[in-house]
Structures are given as structure tokens and as C-alpha cells.
Amino acid sequence: NAGVTQTPKFRILKIGQSMTLQCTQDMNHNYMYWYRQDPGMGLKLIYYSVGAGITDKGEVPNGYNVSRSTTEDFPLRLELAAPSQTSVYFCASSYRRTGSTDTQYFGPGTRLTVL
Amino acid sequence: QKEVEQDPGPLSVPEGAIVSLNCTYSNSAFQYFMWYRQYSRKGPELLMYTYSSGNKEDGRFTAQVDKSSKYISLFIRDSQPSDSATYLCAMSETSGSRLTFGEGTQLTVNP
């Protein structure tokens, strides 16, 4: 199993450009998440999905969009990049069932710089 | 005020030392407590998980939760250079609710 994979590893964007961060998991997990990690701020949840076709906002969703057409893929879209979106982005997945703990498995991250 | 407070460090200790990492929190509804380890330029990985108050031990690692003080700790015994990483605490109200993370403590264990 590759686990959670993310592409690209690094990217530099100009203000106003758009891009999609890719995330794929091969563990047949139902839940998937997008976080951003800024220095001194911990991990903040951007969006999450409970299954194919179902997504919901997290703590910091503004400026981002997501879709989940398959169990495996959960891309994150930045439409109009801004310097405030410079961050490290982590995708995670977990298999939740009633009464169980939510162990989230993280990808290696995408380092995004917006200039 | 942040919901979860964690001293960012950096913390530097000699090999073999006992390390204590701590988080405080303000939300009394938190019941599930986790510690994640994050190596440089990698994603976090779950290290320990605890429900409610008490202790949990796994090898050289011990997690403690004191809900009355809203304080959690992670102890590392006989620390090794391979323990050098950032340690993030995380907590949630239910097993299925959103995780709230601390900002992480950067630990270096010197050989």
C-alpha cells in the first residue's frame, strides 16, 4: 500500500493563479481531509469528506474548493491564489465506523508559495 | 486564546534523557487525546491515543491525561536521536469529531 500520496511536492504560484493539489489514498478509507500547516499555528482543517460525493467545510475553507468523485481521490482547488495561502498542505484519510477511534493517516504534504 | 496551547520549543536534550512534552486546553468537552509525531518535511503520524483521563504506556512512550487540570503530557524515556521530530498534541470531543491540534513542540535529541 502506498497509503496517502500527494502531488506536487512543491509549487510556486503567482498571485491570482489557480491550481489543484492532488490527493489519493489506496486504503479504501471513507473519510478524507485537507489541512494547512503554518508556522506557530498547528494544523487547521480546510475541508473534509465523509465519502464519495459528500464534502463539508472545516475551520478555514475560504479561498478553497474540493470535490470527491471517487473513494480514492480528494483534490483541493485554489482558484485565485493569494500570499495568505502560502503554507504546507496535508491530505489525510481515515476509516471511521461507529464506536471506533479516528486514526488519520497523513500524506507527505505539498509546500506552496504564493508570490 | 487558543483552544489548545503547546510550547513550540525548540527543546534540545542529550541522548538517554527523559523528555516531557505538554499541552493545555480550554474546552472541557474534549475527551479524546492524541499525540502525533512529525519528522522534518513529512506528514504527521499517530503515536499515542488516550480516551478521557489516565495513563497509557507504549514502550518508551507514556501519555497522561489530567482532565481536571485540562493538561496532557507525553513522556519519552531513554530518548534516542531517532526521536528528534516535532510532536503535536491533538484532541476531539467525540471519536468522530474534528481534531484540534496544538502547534507542535520541536524536539532534538543529541547523541
Side-chain angles (χ1 to χ4, degrees):
Chain A
N1 279 357
V4 179
T5 56
Q6 291 182 239
T7 57
K9 289 192 172 118
F10 307 93
R11 183 73 184 266
I12 298 175
L13 281 183
K14 294 182 180 177
I15 294 172
Q17 286 185 321
S18 61
M19 77 164 292
T20 299
L21 283 67
Q22 301 291 345
C23 175
T24 300
Q25 54 94 6
D26 63 358
M27 297 174 282
N28 201 31
H29 285 171
N30 49 357
Y31 277 68
M32 295 187 74
Y33 315 81
W34 274 106
Y35 292 91
R36 58 178 290 171
Q37 186 175 37
D38 302 311
M41 298 297 291
L43 285 156
K44 300 290 186 186
L45 182 65
I46 305 171
Y47 270 95
Y48 68 99
S49 168
V50 305
I54 306 171
T55 63
D56 206 349
K57 295 177 181 178
E59 195 177 350
V60 289
N62 291 345
Y64 307 93
N65 277 301
V66 293
S67 60
R68 186 141 178 230
S69 56
T70 67
T71 300
E72 295 79 18
D73 300 306
F74 190 40
L76 177 72
R77 179 85 178 161
L78 283 72
E79 289 294 348
L80 291 170
S84 61
Q85 293 177 304
T86 294
S87 188
V88 182
Y89 291 85
F90 288 101
C91 178
S93 71
S94 66
Y95 184 73
R96 281 204 206 165
R97 55 188 184 276
T98 304
S100 73
T101 61
D102 181 27
T103 299
Q104 296 187 22
Y105 295 84
F106 285 79
T110 294
R111 293 182 175 272
L112 176 67
T113 302
V114 182
L115 300 174
Chain B
Q1 184 190 3
K2 293 179 183 176
E3 220 172 352
V4 177
E5 299 273 1
Q6 185 176 7
D7 186 342
L11 181 62
S12 181
V13 302
E15 183 175 353
I18 297 174
V19 176
S20 172
L21 304 167
N22 312 295
C23 288
T24 59
Y25 62 94
S26 57
N27 184 353
S28 58
F30 285 145
Q31 296 190 81
Y32 294 81
F33 305 92
M34 284 139 275
W35 286 95
Y36 280 81
R37 179 174 60 195
Q38 185 177 17
Y39 290 114
S40 180
R41 298 189 176 265
K42 301 286 187 186
E45 56 179 344
L46 182 66
L47 189 61
M48 299 279 289
Y49 160 82
T50 313
Y51 169 69
S52 194
S53 284
N55 293 359
K56 185 172 184 178
E57 190 172 320
D58 183 3
R60 297 184 295 109
F61 298 88
T62 300
Q64 282 187 354
V65 175
D66 182 348
K67 289 189 70 181
S68 63
S69 302
K70 296 192 182 72
Y71 188 88
I72 70 170
S73 300
L74 177 71
F75 296 96
I76 307 174
R77 290 184 301 281
D78 188 25
S79 55
Q80 303 294 308
S82 57
D83 295 328
S84 297
T86 296
Y87 291 81
L88 301 107
C89 63
M91 42 199 83
S92 65
E93 295 182 9
T94 69
S95 65
S97 60
R98 177 175 67 88
L99 292 179
T100 300
F101 285 86
E103 66 181 271
T105 299
Q106 185 181 344
L107 171 68
T108 300
V109 181
N110 301 299

